[in-house]
Amino acid sequence: MAKHAGKLWLLLFLSPGLCFTEYSLEAEEAILCSSYTCKLSTQEFTSETCIYYDSSGNGTYYVTNCTNVAYPYCPESAGKNSTCAIKPDPTNVAKWPGEKCVSNDDCSNYATKGCVEGICRGSSIGESCTSQNNCDPGYHCSNSTCVLQLEIGEKGCNEDGDCVNSAGCDIATNAKPGTGVCIEYLSVGEYHRVQSCDSTDYTNMLCASNLCATQCYRSYCLPRLPSLNQPPVACTSNSNCSSVIDPQYEMPLYSQCTCGFNPEGKAYCGLFPGDTLYGKYLDKLTDYLESSALLYCNTERRFNPVCMKDWWGAKNMAIYSYYYTIVFDYPDIQNNQDCVAEIFNAKYVSISQQYEYYLDNFGNVLTLLSGVVFASMIN
Ligand SMILES: *[C@@H]1O[C@H](CO)[C@@H](O)[C@H](O)[C@H]1NC(C)=O
Ligand SMILES: *[C@@H]1O[C@H](CO)[C@@H](O)[C@H](O)[C@H]1NC(C)=O
Ligand SMILES: *[C@@H]1O[C@H](CO)[C@@H](O)[C@H](O)[C@H]1NC(C)=O
Ligand SMILES: *[C@@H]1O[C@H](CO)[C@@H](O)[C@H](O)[C@H]1NC(C)=O
Ligand SMILES: *[C@@H]1O[C@H](CO)[C@@H](O)[C@H](O)[C@H]1NC(C)=O
C-alpha cells in the first residue's frame, strides 16, 4: 500500500490475501467553481450585454435578461461576456423508424420508407440495413439484415440494441463479440454478478438498484445505497460525496462533486440510487419498462425522449424528464437564482413547468404558465 501514499482509495474491496480493485483520485485537489448571480443594481452593462463575466477570483457571471424583443435570447459561453441575440430556430427533429409523423419530411434518412400511415418506416424483418437505426421496432441489424431482437435470456448480443427493448446486453468490455446474454433492465438483485460496471458512476442498468461495484475484476450489483448526508451535499472534492457504507463490502461509494450555477460558487455531490429523488426516477423508469410504449421504438431509440413521448405520452414523459434531470443534473440545479436558471438551466425550467402543469392535473394552467411555455408544451 505504501506506494499509493498521497492518494485516496475509493471502493477498496479487500478480499484478504487475494486481490483488490482500485479506484483512486487525487485527494487534496479542491474543486474551484465560478459564481452565478443576477446583475447587481449598482452595475451598468453596455447595451445588449446579458452576461458579464468577471474573471477575478474564481470567476463570477452576472446575469440579466434581454429586454429588446428583437434579440430575446442570451447565448451562454464559458469565461466570456454574452450579448443578446436572435432566438435560434428550433432544430427540426427528424424521426427514426417507429416514431410518429405527418409527412415524409418528419422522418430521418434511417426511415427509408418515409411516413407510412402516420409512422416513420424503415426496414422490416429480412430487409437490408446499414445500422441498427434502419430497422423497424422489434428488429435489430445483424449482418446487414433486420432480424428479430434477441429475447430475455438469449445469448449472442454485443450491445443493448441487439436485445428486446426491455433488456440490455450483459457482456464484459473485453469479451468476444456476440457472447453476451440479454437480461431485463433493473432485474439483477443485490450482490449478484453482472459483466460490467461503469467505473466513474458505478451504474449498470441491469441492476435493480442501477448501482454496481467491481471487486477482483468482477462486477456485482449493490443495494440502493443512499447518500451518507442528506442531499443537497455541498462538496469541495469527491471525498465529500460518500454513500452510506455497503453492509456486505463494508465500504462506501463516492459520487462526483460538480460545480453548479449558484451565487456562492458551491459544488454539490451527485445523488445515489437510495436517495428519495433518485428512487422516484427509478420508479418512473420501471413504469416505462413495464409499459408497452417501448415496443414501438427503434432499438437505438428505446430511451430517446422523442420516441418515449410519442408512445408513452406527454404526461408520463414530463414526469420522467423531471426526475431524470433532477438526478443527472443535480448539482446544476441547486440554489439557482431565477435569472440564472432561465439562462443556464433553461431546459430544467421548462421541464419543471411541464411537470407542475401535469401534477396540477390541468388546473390553474393559465395562472401558472406564460402563453409561450404553454404553446411549447402542446406540440
Ligand atoms: C463585459 O461586459 C461589461 C458590462 O457590460 C463591460 O463593462 C466589459 O467591458 C465587457 N468585457 C468585454 C471583454 O467585452
Ligand atoms: C475560490 O473557491 C475556493 C473553494 O470554494 C474558496 O475557498 C475561495 O475563497 C474562492 N476564492 C475567491 C477569491 O472567491
Ligand atoms: C452473413 O452473411 C453472409 C452472406 O449472406 C453469410 O455468408 C454469413 O454466414 C453471414 N454471417 C452470419 C454471422 O450470419
Ligand atoms: C470536504 O472534505 C474536505 C476534506 O475532508 C474537508 O476539509 C471539507 O470541509 C469538506 N467540504 C465540505 C463542503 O464538506
Ligand atoms: C426578467 O427577469 C425577471 C426575473 O427573472 C422576470 O421577472 C422579468 O419578467 C424578466 N423580464 C423580461 C422582460 O423578460
Side-chain angles (χ1 to χ4, degrees):
M1 290 292 289
K3 70 183 161 103
H4 304 310
K7 293 203 167 184
L8 173 77
W9 295 96
L10 298 186
L11 195 73
L12 191 67
F13 287 158
L14 287 169
S15 305
L18 291 174
C19 67
F20 58 89
T21 301
E22 307 170 345
Y23 294 101
S24 69
L25 84 175
E26 300 300 330
E28 315 311 336
E29 208 62 54
I31 180 172
L32 299 179
C33 303
S34 297
S35 306
Y36 294 79
T37 189
C38 295
K39 173 180 161 303
L40 309 174
S41 56
T42 53
Q43 285 176 318
E44 275 305 327
F45 284 8
T46 51
S47 72
E48 314 294 359
T49 298
C50 51
I51 301 173
Y52 163 44
Y53 175 68
D54 175 357
S55 62
S56 64
N58 297 324
T60 306
Y61 293 84
Y62 296 96
V63 176
T64 190
N65 43 14
C66 296
T67 46
N68 183 342
V69 288
Y71 303 102
Y73 172 71
C74 186
E76 41 144 330
S77 58
K80 278 192 203 143
N81 279 2
S82 293
T83 305
C84 297
I86 295 170
K87 201 166 173 60
D89 285 335
T91 44
N92 205 20
V93 267
K95 293 184 153 191
W96 263 244
E99 293 163 20
K100 294 182 181 176
C101 52
V102 175
S103 74
N104 289 341
D105 292 344
D106 298 337
C107 303
S108 72
N109 292 336
Y110 296 130
T112 46
K113 293 179 188 148
C115 187
V116 182
E117 291 171 356
I119 295 170
C120 296
R121 289 290 175 204
S123 297
S124 187
I125 192 161
E127 296 177 341
S128 73
C129 49
T130 52
S131 76
Q132 306 275 34
N133 300 301
N134 292 131
C135 298
D136 282 338
Y139 309 120
H140 77 110
C141 190
S142 172
N143 210 3
S144 303
T145 306
C146 293
V147 298
L148 282 175
Q149 291 169 317
L150 301 177
E151 294 292 336
I152 290 167
E154 223 177 316
K155 204 175 163 183
C157 58
N158 280 317
E159 55 174 41
D160 287 12
D162 297 336
C163 304
V164 290
N165 283 355
S166 58
C169 185
D170 191 31
I171 187 166
T173 40
N174 56 356
K176 251 177 65 187
T179 56
V181 177
C182 294
I183 294 187
E184 197 174 2
Y185 289 121
L186 301 183
S187 74
V188 180
E190 38 195 76
Y191 309 119
H192 287 260
R193 271 198 74 180
V194 277
Q195 296 302 316
S196 67
C197 179
D198 187 304
S199 62
T200 52
D201 64 4
Y202 310 113
T203 56
N204 183 326
M205 238 177 99
L206 303 179
C207 297
S209 60
N210 198 30
L211 195 66
C212 57
T214 302
Q215 179 190 37
C216 297
Y217 308 103
R218 292 176 176 216
S219 299
Y220 297 88
C221 294
L222 292 181
R224 282 196 191 186
L225 302 176
S227 297
L228 178 63
N229 299 309
Q230 178 67 32
V233 179
C235 53
T236 52
S237 79
N238 293 358
S239 61
N240 298 119
C241 300
S242 176
S243 71
V244 302
I245 288 174
D246 177 77
Q248 173 125 339
Y249 293 123
E250 301 182 330
M251 292 294 295
L253 297 176
Y254 293 87
S255 65
Q256 301 283 322
C257 176
T258 308
C259 290
F261 297 110
N262 53 79
E264 295 88 23
K266 280 189 185 166
Y268 291 92
C269 297
L271 294 179
F272 282 96
D275 294 326
T276 309
L277 289 163
Y278 203 127
K280 292 193 181 230
Y281 157 69
L282 289 175
D283 291 348
K284 201 64 196 169
L285 177 62
T286 303
D287 284 355
Y288 175 64
L289 291 168
E290 289 173 353
S291 75
S292 58
L294 85 172
L295 302 178
Y296 298 96
C297 293
N298 167 275
T299 195
E300 293 289 289
R301 299 279 280 180
R302 58 185 68 190
F303 297 120
N304 184 282
V306 173
C307 193
M308 288 174 78
K309 188 176 176 185
D310 273 2
W311 295 106
W312 199 28
K315 178 177 178 176
N316 279 320
M317 202 50 211
I319 298 168
Y320 175 87
S321 303
Y322 177 71
Y323 288 119
Y324 182 94
T325 309
I326 289 179
V327 169
F328 295 105
D329 295 338
Y330 192 72
D332 288 1
I333 62 176
Q334 298 312 310
N335 195 14
N336 285 183
Q337 292 181 342
D338 285 351
C339 66
V340 171
E342 276 166 25
I343 293 173
F344 290 92
N345 279 318
K347 202 181 96 209
Y348 177 66
V349 170
S350 149
I351 284 169
S352 311
Q353 286 168 331
Q354 294 182 41
Y355 172 79
E356 306 230 338
Y357 165 80
Y358 286 111
L359 206 70
D360 212 31
N361 244 343
F362 302 90
N364 296 334
V365 65
L366 294 176
T367 57
L368 197 69
L369 298 171
S370 72
V372 179
V373 176
F374 185 65
S376 75
M377 286 170 40
I378 301 302
N379 56 45

